[in-house]
Amino acid sequence: MPSGDATGSDTLSVYGQSVAPGGGGLDVDHLPTPGEDGVAEGEDDDSVEDQYLVWTGPGKRTPVILFKPEAILIRNPTAKAIGAKYHLAYKMVKTECKIIRAIVTAHGFHEVHPNSLDFNLMWTGCHLKPYVLRSFTEFQKVNHFPRSYEVTRKDRLYKNVQRMQQIKGMKHFDFIPASFVLPVEFQEFQAAFVKDKGPWIVKPVASSRGRGIYLINHPSQAQSDETLLVAKYINNPLLVDDFKFDLRLYVAVTSYDPLIVYLYEEGLARFATVKYDRTCKNIRNQCMHLTNYSVNKKSSDYVRCEDPDLEDYGNKWSMSALLRFLRHTGKDTTGLMMRVEDLVIKTFISAEVPIATACNMFMPHRGNCFELYGFDVLIDENLKPWL
């Protein structure tokens, strides 16, 4: 399912940050490097600066800085000079995200105190209170939308998708298995279990990285005062060499009104460390049923890949490598990715109204907020994606 602040990964999407009052929304761009796309080696500083700074909007009067992840490695003085020239500042609030600090520092941003009001970018591990967001100027940005928990909390996400199932029909929003929020819907869950006694999976509604997830084969095993989401377990996953896997995708939203979504072209395939047993007798074996890195890295069977040029080795592949593997086995990967994109889009459509309403109420300027989400998608043996 989607989770916010999806930056602790092997891939990084690159976004533009407004550098002065009047800045527009976040941009997503591929930036040419010397020798590529008409940029020659040894061009002058102004030409190189153009790789990091563009002018957009009416009359091209809005300056936007473009982040290049390779700036972390090559330490380009031109990139750092841009941040210093425009006095760009960032602050980290209730989070410690090393990759974000590295990328903005490499582009000349200087860090200010979490209480400072003089910043361009706020990167926070929590949602802002409405009065804080209302105080933003046009050129200030934060990495969360108000009420984005409508997507990232499992109970809220399910209720939003369920509402769309009722409005638009189940067949158009059938990418989430039958689910119930406990303890409120415990009786409904019991009735559903009588009809389908297969294993069910229990998840805390506001947790991540596989924490607190377990499988059950009887409703009595899900008794808790804590709010939980129990969902029908997908027991026919697509396997690679008998191992279960899922996809981790990275999605950026720069606006909910109108809805603007960017799906990063690369992703990860994350493998379990124990071969899958289709009889589901070993429901307590987390390393068989869960694909989360945080769970499987503790296993003695976890295989790391130390070679950055090797994409299909160990328990974590690139998504491109997985798709190549599936194509070689005769699978329709084009149709699969179309269904995955459909799932991503409809997930945000499900929560669009409540989040857009909150943005219109609390966000003083269009473009103050953006968010990067991590989507975990399971593929079953029929090549149907599940969120």
Side-chain angles (χ1 to χ4, degrees):
M1 70 160 293
S3 59
D5 282 347
T7 51
S9 64
D10 291 343
T11 60
L12 176 68
S13 296
V14 185
Y15 307 99
Q17 165 68 38
S18 296
V19 299
L26 300 178
D27 292 344
V28 180
D29 285 274
H30 168 71
L31 297 170
T33 55
E36 174 185 320
D37 292 343
V39 178
E41 297 282 357
E43 288 186 324
D44 59 32
D45 289 345
D46 288 341
S47 178
V48 176
E49 180 172 315
D50 289 343
Q51 297 180 39
Y52 297 92
L53 189 65
V54 296
W55 295 82
T56 64
K60 294 190 180 298
R61 299 178 62 184
T62 303
V64 175
I65 188 170
L66 304 175
F67 294 132
K68 297 183 67 174
E70 57 265 34
I72 298 177
L73 302 176
I74 62 176
R75 301 186 182 279
N76 191 321
T78 303
K80 200 151 191 174
I82 292 175
K85 178 179 178 180
Y86 290 96
H87 309 289
L88 300 180
Y90 74 97
K91 66 178 182 178
M92 310 291 278
V93 180
K94 296 184 179 179
T95 187
E96 178 54 47
C97 192
K98 294 180 180 178
I99 188 65
I100 298 300
R101 176 173 273 115
I103 192 74
V104 296
T105 300
H107 290 78
F109 283 61
H110 66 277
E111 186 170 5
V112 297
H113 190 274
N115 293 333
S116 173
L117 300 179
D118 184 17
F119 65 90
N120 296 84
L121 173 65
M122 176 194 298
W123 196 273
T124 175
C126 60
H127 287 83
L128 298 187
K129 294 187 181 299
Y131 77 88
V132 176
L133 186 55
R134 283 193 178 113
S135 70
F136 272 40
T137 59
E138 192 173 5
F139 64 92
Q140 292 179 316
K141 298 183 185 295
V142 64
N143 64 312
H144 286 298
F145 285 94
R147 289 193 67 172
S148 63
Y149 56 79
E150 296 285 351
V151 174
T152 59
R153 275 184 60 106
K154 297 175 180 69
D155 53 345
R156 294 305 311 147
L157 173 64
Y158 171 64
K159 287 301 180 182
N160 286 321
V161 173
Q162 185 183 55
R163 186 185 70 254
M164 294 305 293
Q165 289 173 344
Q166 296 168 352
I167 296 173
K168 299 297 183 180
M170 174 67 76
K171 67 178 182 179
H172 298 298
F173 287 82
D174 62 346
F175 50 85
I176 290 183
S179 303
F180 300 91
V181 178
L182 306 183
V184 176
E185 298 178 334
F186 186 74
Q187 289 186 337
E188 291 89 336
F189 168 49
Q190 284 183 309
F193 183 84
V194 171
K195 299 178 182 178
D196 190 343
K197 292 183 169 60
W200 292 68
I201 187 166
V202 180
K203 305 179 181 184
V205 297
S207 189
S208 61
R209 299 197 291 271
R211 291 172 295 190
I213 298 179
Y214 57 95
L215 272 65
I216 61 173
N217 51 25
H218 193 275
S220 62
Q221 297 168 341
Q223 297 278 9
S224 174
D225 294 332
E226 180 186 5
T227 302
L228 302 170
L229 185 81
V230 58
K232 183 71 184 73
Y233 182 65
I234 307 300
N235 59 8
N236 64 332
L238 183 65
L239 304 179
V240 171
D241 295 333
D242 295 327
F243 289 94
K244 181 179 177 180
F245 69 92
D246 75 351
L247 298 179
R248 163 49 75 100
L249 307 171
Y250 296 95
V251 184
V253 176
T254 59
S255 170
Y256 275 93
D257 184 17
L259 182 60
I260 301 175
V261 179
Y262 297 92
L263 173 62
Y264 190 55
E265 61 187 359
E266 187 56 280
L268 299 173
R270 307 177 303 180
F271 289 85
T273 48
V274 175
K275 289 189 175 183
Y276 187 73
D277 178 6
R278 291 191 181 276
T279 65
C280 290
K281 293 180 180 178
N282 302 301
I283 64 171
R284 300 195 185 281
N285 192 330
Q286 284 195 318
C287 291
M288 176 189 295
H289 296 286
L290 303 185
T291 57
N292 306 76
Y293 168 73
S294 298
V295 172
N296 284 279
K297 71 177 182 179
K298 302 173 185 175
S299 170
S300 59
D301 295 320
Y302 187 83
V303 178
R304 295 180 181 275
C305 179
E306 304 294 345
D307 185 349
D309 295 322
L310 202 56
E311 299 182 56
D312 58 355
Y313 175 80
N315 286 88
K316 190 182 289 185
W317 294 9
S318 71
M319 186 174 69
S320 297
L322 177 76
L323 294 176
R324 287 194 297 269
F325 175 88
L326 295 179
R327 277 197 298 272
H328 290 158
T329 61
K331 300 292 193 297
D332 177 15
T333 56
T334 300
L336 170 62
M337 290 310 297
M338 289 178 63
R339 290 187 288 275
V340 169
E341 290 177 6
D342 190 65
L343 175 155
V344 170
I345 293 168
K346 288 179 178 177
T347 297
F348 288 113
I349 289 175
S350 299
E352 178 182 7
V353 171
I355 299 178
T357 300
C359 289
N360 291 331
M361 289 177 61
F362 306 128
M363 197 168 69
H365 305 281
R366 183 185 298 273
N368 280 142
C369 300
F370 67 97
E371 195 148 355
L372 179 60
Y373 300 90
F375 271 65
D376 297 337
V377 178
L378 178 71
I379 312 298
D380 70 20
E381 61 186 8
N382 300 313
L383 292 190
K384 175 179 173 60
W386 297 87
L387 183 63

